[in-house]
Amino acid sequence: MNLILISADELNPNHSIQLTDRRFKHIRKVHRAEVGDALKVGVINGELGTGEILHIDEQRVTLHVTLNSPPPPPLPVTLILALPRPQMLKRTLQNIAAMGVKELHLLQTRRVEKSYWQTPLLIEETVHEQLLLGLEQGRDTVLPRLYFHKRFRPFVEDELAQLTEDQHKLVAHPGDFPHCPANVNEPTTLAIGPEGGFVDFEIEKLQAVGFKPIQMGARILRVETAVPALLYRLFGHLA
Amino acid sequence: MNLILISADELNPNHSIQLTDRRFKHIRKVHRAEVGDALKVGVINGELGTGEILHIDEQRVTLHVTLNSPPPPPLPVTLILALPRPQMLKRTLQNIAAMGVKELHLLQTRRVEKSYWQTPLLIEETVHEQLLLGLEQGRDTVLPRLYFHKRFRPFVEDELAQLTEDQHKLVAHPGDFPHCPANVNEPTTLAIGPEGGFVDFEIEKLQAVGFKPIQMGARILRVETAVPALLYRLFGHLA
C-alpha cells in the first residue's frame, strides 16, 4: 500500500478522516506511523495529497488530509483481453490498475473456458477490491472501467471498429509477425488472446477491423506477465 | 506446461521415456493426449524436440523422444535483485526462467528483511522446482544459475566490477533519471532494488562501479511485475 485511498464521502468537512479498517492496520503495522507523520493519500477518482496523523491508538487513526496534485497521467491504451483464468485475472486486474490502464474489455474467445465467467472474482465488489489494490500499489486514484463481452463476434464486428476509430491497433499473436514496437505515442488498442492464443477465425476478424499482429517471440508468457511486459515496452517512456 | 521437460538420464537408450509423475498427469488431464499425438519435449540443459505418445493409460505414458533443435537464445542480461519477499520470489524465479535470464544474483540490501533468507523457497530443491516451472512455461531448457550474496558491500565493492566488466550497467531507481531504454543489444547487467528501493549509500556504491540509474516513472510496481516489464522493454526485439 504505497497510497492510502479514501472515498470523497469519507472525508469530514474539516478535512479529517478516521480509519479503523485494513488501511488503519496497514498504517499502524507496516508504516508504524506516529502522530505528526505524513502519509501519501488519494481520493478515489480525485486528487493526491498527504494525510498528517493527528491521532493514532490501537483502534483507529485520524488524519488531516491536504489534496494538492493530480493523479499520474493514464496510459494511452485500451486493453482487450481474453478472459484469463481466475487466479491470473486477480493479478492482472491489480497490474493494469497499477500501471495506468483506464479501459479494459474482457472477452470470450474460442479458447476461453466458459466456466471462467462464473468466478466470484468477477463480482463487482471483488473486481473493485482488486482494482483498489492496484491503484494503491501504483499510487493512482482513477479506477479503470471494465466491460464484459461474452460473445466474440458481435463485439468485434459491431462495436470494436467504432471503439477503436483512429487508434493504433495491435494484437499479440504467435507467428511470423513484427516484434512489439517500443515507445508508442498514439492512442493504442492492444488485444491479447487467451492461453493457447486466438484461433485463426478470431485473428482474421480482428485484422478485418484493422488490428496488426505483433509477436512476442518463441517464449510463451503467462497473461499476468505478458500484460505488464507489453504495456511497459509500448509506453515506458511515458511513465 | 508448454513443454515436457525431462532429464537426460531419464531417457532410455531406445529414446523412449516413461512418465508417471505430474508430467504424466498434465499430459493426460490438460493435454488430454492420445496415442500418436506429438508433444513438445526438452532435455534439461539440452535440446528441444518432440515426444510421440507410444502408450498411455491411467498410470503412465510412454513417449518416443526425438531431439532436433536448440533452446531459444538467452537474454543478454545478468540480473541483480534485492531478495524479494517469499511470495514474490516464487513468481519472479518462474518469470526470469520463462523469459531467458541465465544468471541471477540475489542480494541483501538495507531494506531487505533479513528473515527473508530463512524462507524454505530458497532451499535448492524448491528453487529448482520454480525454475523448471518457468522453463516449462517459456519453452526453454537451460536452467538459470543463482548466486546468493548476504552482504551488500563486499559483493558490490569486490566482485561486481569484475563480474560486469565491459557490460552496459543499469539500476532501476526512483528519481529524476532517464527512462529505461528500449531495444538494447549489448550485454547488460540490470540491478533492481527491494520494495522501498535502494538507500542512497547503495546507489552511490553501484554508481561507483559504473551503474547508471534509470527510472520507471511515478508509479511503483511490484518486483514480480517490474522484472518482466524491464526485461521485455530492454530486449523484446530479441525475443
Side-chain angles (χ1 to χ4, degrees), chain A residues 22-72:
Chain A
R22 72 177 178 92
R23 296 170 293 182
F24 158 68
K25 284 175 195 145
H26 190 88
I27 291 169
R28 188 172 157 81
K29 296 208 174 131
V30 183
H31 289 304
R32 290 176 198 144
E34 296 173 8
V35 170
D37 287 358
L39 305 171
K40 292 217 178 251
V41 170
V43 172
I44 295 172
N45 292 328
E47 282 188 304
L48 293 172
T50 54
E52 191 196 332
I53 298 188
L54 300 177
H55 176 87
I56 187 164
D57 62 28
E58 289 180 15
Q59 269 81 47
R60 66 188 65 80
V61 60
T62 310
L63 300 170
H64 180 265
V65 174
T66 313
L67 299 169
N68 51 23
S69 59

Side-chain angles (χ1 to χ4, degrees), chain B residues 185-214:
Chain B
N185 289 305
E186 312 96 87
T188 299
T189 299
L190 173 64
I192 301 176
E195 293 178 87
F198 289 110
V199 298
D200 290 347
F201 162 83
E202 291 162 345
I203 284 290
E204 283 157 24
K205 284 285 168 199
L206 288 166
Q207 284 179 302
V209 292
F211 279 77
K212 293 198 180 66
I214 52 164

Side-chain angles (χ1 to χ4, degrees), chain B residues 28 34 60-61 79 83 86 94 99 107 111 119 126 142-143 224:
Chain B
R28 189 171 156 80
E34 295 173 7
R60 66 186 66 79
V61 61
L79 196 59
L83 182 67
Q94 292 179 23
M99 293 187 81
L107 183 60
R111 294 198 181 121
T119 173
T126 326
V142 183
L143 280 164
E224 67 185 68

Side-chain angles (χ1 to χ4, degrees), chain A residues 91 137 183 219-220 233, chain B residues 73 91 137 183 220 233:
Chain A
R91 281 195 287 272
Q137 172 66 44
N183 301 335
R219 298 169 185 279
I220 302 173
R233 184 166 167 81
Chain B
R91 282 196 286 273
Q137 172 67 43
N183 301 335
I220 303 174
R233 182 165 169 83

Side-chain angles (χ1 to χ4, degrees), chain A residues 152-153 156-157 160 199-211:
Chain A
F152 179 88
R153 195 165 171 160
V156 174
E157 287 184 345
L160 195 53
V199 299
D200 289 347
F201 162 83
E202 290 163 344
I203 285 290
E204 284 157 22
K205 283 286 169 198
L206 287 166
Q207 285 179 301
V209 291
F211 279 77

Side-chain angles (χ1 to χ4, degrees), chain B residues 1 4-7 10 17-29 58-61 132 136:
Chain B
M1 202 185 289
I4 311 296
L5 262 182
I6 62 176
S7 307
E10 287 182 300
I17 183 171
Q18 188 173 289
L19 303 174
T20 56
D21 59 8
R22 72 179 178 92
R23 294 169 294 183
F24 158 67
K25 284 177 195 145
H26 189 88
I27 290 168
R28 189 171 156 80
K29 297 208 174 131
E58 288 181 14
Q59 269 81 47
R60 66 186 66 79
V61 61
L132 286 185
E136 288 170 358

